[in-house]
Amino acid sequence: FFWWCSLYRFSTVLTIASSSVKEEIIENMKIGFDESESCVRFFFDNKVDLNNCIVCIENNKIISSLHIIPTKIYGESGLIPVDYIYAATTLPEYRLKGYMSRLIEASNQISYLRGNRASILIPANEKLFEFYNKLGYKSFYKYKKVIISNFQMKNFMHKANICTKNLSFENVFNMYLKNHINLGDTIWDKSSVEYAFNMNEFLDGINVYTNDGYAICYIQKQNTVKIAEFSTIPSDVYNLLGNIYYRLPNHNFYEIILPANYNHINITGKIFNHGLIKPYTSELKYFIKKISDGAIDPYFSFTLE
């Protein structure tokens, strides 16, 4: 299953990866994302299926790669199978020459033939939104960022019921399913949710639990704690915030990523565009338009990073 194409004056092959090129892909990801060896290998050891890795080869050298990770989104009559384009990278000396555009087009074809009905992704920066727009991707996901001061978080801790036990992933997954039910929301399987928690701990982050909720937290620059996933029942919100402070005290700010329509924290937040979607069928085009017209803001939970 491969394609030949001509880019400029070179003959290029786009194909599904094989085990023989695993190490080369790992090296390219380390270069492309400036990531550590251990981080990339954790991804390959715990999440990668090479049948879902598409590579661009030129003169027997892998110059570009991406992963199409299967997931689902909420539809009106059930879950819709889609692919998540993840870890798309091109070696620096080959960028801005059209390789990634061709690689994404090839991945879309593979995904469609496998029965997926759309492709979703998160641009690495604002400039890439325009690049993906040209490939047929449209803005779809948003999130709300709420920033809480140390003083406010400390007050929450004084009123919290401190929880020192971990929840089982069965409990975490059930909470996750219960709290993400808007049209268009991404719905990951239990193994992917567990992977996200394990990856955070592997990268020295802290997972915080209460009897009714969970949060994935890690320390950023400027002594700020980022809370990348925050989920609990409405009555437990401030209890969970207090437990986060208990586990991660004495930081200047606490930055929480939430669904755009989340209103259980009484602190003003700012809305940002987050992820994009490319429908493969007319039915999905109609579905996306209906969501946009209805001012629904789907949430892209567990980006796996």
Side-chain angles (χ1 to χ4, degrees), residues 43 47 69-73 84-86 120-122 141-143 167-169 171-180 185-200 206-209 213-218 227-232 257-259 274 298-305:
F43 171 56
K47 191 60 185 172
I69 300 176
T71 185
K72 294 180 173 64
I73 61 175
Y84 173 35
I85 290 187
Y86 184 73
I120 57 177
L121 56 80
I122 298 175
Y141 293 99
K142 294 183 179 180
Y143 69 86
L167 296 179
S168 71
F169 278 109
N171 286 340
V172 169
F173 186 63
N174 288 336
M175 289 179 185
Y176 162 65
L177 291 179
K178 184 172 70 173
N179 292 333
H180 296 289
D185 281 4
T186 53
I187 302 299
W188 293 97
D189 60 22
K190 186 165 67 173
S191 67
S192 296
V193 173
E194 186 170 358
Y195 168 81
F197 276 83
N198 290 338
M199 170 65 105
N200 188 52
I206 300 291
N207 300 324
V208 179
Y209 305 93
Y214 58 82
I216 293 180
C217 314
Y218 56 90
I227 304 163
E229 292 288 338
F230 182 94
S231 182
T232 191
I257 304 302
L258 298 164
H274 192 203
Y299 184 56
F300 201 124
S301 60
F302 291 107
T303 60
L304 307 186
E305 298 172 346

Side-chain angles (χ1 to χ4, degrees), residues 61-299:
K61 178 181 181 179
I62 294 177
I63 60 174
S64 190
S65 64
L66 60 77
H67 299 264
I68 47 175
I69 300 176
T71 185
K72 294 180 173 64
I73 61 175
Y74 261 123
E76 293 178 299
S77 57
L79 296 176
I80 301 170
V82 301
D83 68 77
Y84 173 35
I85 290 187
Y86 184 73
T89 184
T90 302
L91 289 174
E93 62 269 31
Y94 293 94
R95 291 173 184 171
L96 303 177
K97 297 180 179 179
Y99 293 104
M100 183 53 70
S101 296
R102 295 295 184 93
L103 196 59
I104 289 173
E105 289 172 359
S107 76
N108 292 162
Q109 292 178 43
I110 292 172
S111 179
Y112 174 73
L113 291 173
R114 289 178 175 179
N116 291 317
R117 291 161 61 188
S119 175
I120 57 177
L121 56 80
I122 298 175
N125 56 60
E126 285 291 328
K127 294 180 180 178
L128 287 175
F129 275 84
E130 183 178 352
F131 167 73
Y132 289 116
N133 288 160
K134 293 177 180 177
L135 297 177
Y137 287 84
K138 306 296 181 185
S139 292
F140 191 64
Y141 293 99
K142 294 183 179 180
Y143 69 86
K144 179 190 291 185
K145 181 191 294 184
V146 173
I147 298 177
I148 305 178
S149 69
N150 179 285
F151 178 77
Q152 289 171 303
M153 289 289 286
K154 191 172 184 178
N155 284 339
F156 300 148
M157 186 194 70
H158 290 320
K159 302 173 185 177
N161 296 315
I162 301 305
C163 180
T164 57
K165 68 178 182 179
N166 290 350
L167 296 179
S168 71
F169 278 109
E170 190 69 38
N171 286 340
V172 169
F173 186 63
N174 288 336
M175 289 179 185
Y176 162 65
L177 291 179
K178 184 172 70 173
N179 292 333
H180 296 289
I181 56 174
N182 289 325
L183 287 177
D185 281 4
T186 53
I187 302 299
W188 293 97
D189 60 22
K190 186 165 67 173
S191 67
S192 296
V193 173
E194 186 170 358
Y195 168 81
F197 276 83
N198 290 338
M199 170 65 105
N200 188 52
E201 289 188 340
F202 179 76
L203 297 175
D204 298 322
I206 300 291
N207 300 324
V208 179
Y209 305 93
T210 64
N211 290 328
D212 296 300
Y214 58 82
I216 293 180
C217 314
Y218 56 90
I219 300 171
Q220 296 187 121
K221 296 177 181 178
Q222 286 81 48
N223 202 25
T224 296
V225 174
K226 182 165 184 177
I227 304 163
E229 292 288 338
F230 182 94
S231 182
T232 191
I233 60 176
S235 61
D236 186 61
V237 167
Y238 292 99
N239 185 48
L240 180 54
L241 290 172
N243 274 269
I244 291 169
Y245 187 86
Y246 176 79
R247 295 291 305 277
L248 289 159
N250 304 323
H251 295 278
N252 293 338
F253 297 100
Y254 297 78
E255 177 185 296
I256 311 178
I257 304 302
L258 298 164
N261 59 359
Y262 193 90
N263 57 12
H264 301 304
I265 295 178
N266 191 26
I267 298 173
T268 301
K270 185 176 179 181
I271 306 295
F272 293 87
N273 287 324
H274 192 203
L276 307 173
I277 189 168
K278 179 180 180 179
Y280 296 148
T281 67
S282 57
E283 180 186 4
L284 257 289
K285 289 180 182 178
Y286 174 77
F287 171 72
I288 293 166
K289 184 178 185 302
K290 186 173 182 178
I291 286 179
S292 299
D293 292 346
I296 298 171
D297 294 317
Y299 184 56

